[in-house]
Amino acid sequence: MADLSAEQLNEISKGTFADLMGLRVTELGPDRVRGEWTVTPRLHQPAGIQNGGVLCTVVETLASTGGAAWYGERGVVVGVNNNTDFLRAVREGKLTAEATPLHRGGMQQLWQVVISDDDGRLVARGQVRLQNLPHRS
Ligand SMILES: CC(C)(COP(=O)(O)OP(=O)(O)OC[C@H]1O[C@@H](n2cnc3c(N)ncnc32)[C@H](O)[C@@H]1OP(=O)(O)O)[C@@H](O)C(=O)NCCC(=O)NCCSC(=O)Cc1ccccc1
């Protein structure tokens, strides 16, 4: 994960859960990860707005990707808590997300993810706590 480009990550993510909802990573690094997707009816809940689970998925994916890029060859990281606030309902259009670290410790990390619409309005804000898992010898 540490040395992957955004394009390489998108390639190896084909067929995964985040790929199914159309998430594309546009920037990948240990200090910031950005991504985007387009809200379509396939992402709606029955009332015709985007399912909140999509927002949780984006928060989980970008935070974990950034945490893994930073932890690098030391091991893998896994999410252990995801807390996402849904601030604005969305029916259609492109959304962008940006993940940045709040804390990066030896055992755990805390990343924040901000999701905005094309007009720059805040759609959701989440945070994920990650566990660093060193390789077992
Ligand atoms: C509306 C509120 C909850 C509270 O807003 P506030 O904090 O008070 O802030 P503010 O007053 O600034 O309004 C902000 C904007 O909201 C608009 N607006 C306000 N009132 C109404 C109204 N009565 N009706 C319609 N719109 C209303 C308001 O005009 C403004 O827009 P504007 O600037 O005019 O263009 C907002 O936080 C929100 O929409 N969050 C996202 C929720 C969401 O998408 N959840 C996920 C999907 S659910 C799910 O997945 C579960 C499920 C799964 C499967 C199956 C079934 C279920």
Side-chain angles (χ1 to χ4, degrees), residues 45-46 49-53 55 86-90 121 123:
Q45 42 91 304
I49 57 177
Q50 177 174 241
N51 192 304
L55 298 163
F86 314 139
L87 300 169
R88 170 175 288 274
V90 177
R121 296 179 300 193
V123 168

Side-chain angles (χ1 to χ4, degrees), residues 2-46:
D3 299 326
L4 284 183
S5 68
E7 293 72 27
Q8 289 169 323
L9 179 66
N10 290 326
E11 190 59 33
I12 64 170
S13 298
K14 285 209 170 122
T16 64
F17 188 45
D19 179 51
L20 291 179
M21 52 145 286
L23 177 65
R24 277 191 62 255
V25 173
T26 54
E27 179 182 332
L28 169 54
D31 301 322
R32 186 168 72 171
V33 180
R34 304 189 86 237
E36 62 185 34
W37 76 103
T38 300
V39 179
T40 65
R42 285 175 61 84
L43 301 183
H44 285 180
Q45 42 91 304

Side-chain angles (χ1 to χ4, degrees), residues 54-72:
V54 174
L55 298 163
C56 293
T57 297
V58 171
V59 168
E60 180 79 20
T61 304
L62 296 192
S64 301
T65 299
W70 177 76
Y71 198 53

